[in-house]
Amino acid sequence: MKTQQKLQLIRERLKVLRVHAFLIPNADPHGSEYVPEYWNRRKIVSGFTGSMAEVCVSLSGAAIWVDSRYFLQAERELAGSGIKMQKLGIPGTPSLIGWLSSQLPRGGKVGVDPQTVTKERYSHLQHELAEVGLTLIPIARNPVD
């Protein structure tokens, strides 16, 4: 299945869940540095094979944040995918929160699988999203699955 088809299926699931976007970090419940294939949902969705990145899918767009080690690789692997590469550390690159606030309506809901973020990260995201009028929602059944 092509990336664009996967994105469409995720978007359909987001509508059912009544959320406007879903964050897909490269993480497992144990906070492993290298996650087992099952937990590598970022790779499953995007096709990006680098070890560090996170994807966010909204109802109207998708983006992946990668660091400079992966700019060329991500450009190749994401070509034609419908996922926009965000280059971490480059001036003008929107943060995850900045991108979400430009994509979603005020009062929008951002889903995340609580098994893929630490308690601290969850709290931090919740606070940052609230500052821009968005709400973080825990999604027990990951829509990528």
Side-chain angles (χ1 to χ4, degrees):
M1 181 181 306
K2 295 194 181 273
T3 300
Q4 291 180 349
Q5 294 168 306
K6 293 175 189 177
L7 293 174
Q8 187 56 41
L9 290 173
I10 291 169
R11 288 182 178 119
E12 290 171 16
R13 184 72 184 138
L14 296 181
K15 290 175 187 174
V16 170
L17 294 167
R18 296 185 180 162
V19 296
H20 301 92
F22 188 75
L23 177 62
I24 308 166
N26 196 49
D28 68 8
H30 306 289
S32 304
E33 183 176 357
Y34 297 100
V35 299
E37 200 65 27
Y38 172 81
W39 290 95
N40 199 342
R41 292 179 178 99
R42 184 255 315 141
K43 178 181 169 188
I44 292 165
V45 170
S46 70
F48 175 67
T49 60
S51 65
M52 178 68 181
E54 69 182 356
V55 172
C56 194
V57 178
S58 75
L59 295 174
S60 60
I64 186 169
W65 285 261
V66 298
D67 67 37
S68 61
R69 297 175 292 170
Y70 298 113
F71 290 172
L72 295 176
Q73 178 182 343
E75 193 172 305
R76 280 191 316 273
E77 292 179 349
L78 297 169
S81 69
I83 299 174
K84 182 171 169 123
M85 178 176 43
Q86 304 295 340
K87 297 179 177 181
L88 290 170
I90 301 297
T93 297
S95 66
L96 170 65
I97 304 303
W99 184 82
L100 284 165
S101 68
S102 73
Q103 291 282 308
L104 308 184
R106 189 151 183 84
K109 297 176 184 171
V110 179
V112 67
D113 181 341
Q115 293 187 84
T116 64
V117 292
T118 64
K119 181 180 175 188
E120 292 78 19
R121 175 106 196 269
Y122 187 92
S123 294
H124 186 73
L125 284 169
Q126 193 173 39
H127 175 74
E128 285 187 308
L129 288 168
E131 286 183 342
V132 295
L134 302 173
T135 304
L136 187 62
I137 305 293
I139 305 293
R141 187 162 179 224
N142 196 308
V144 176
D145 297 345

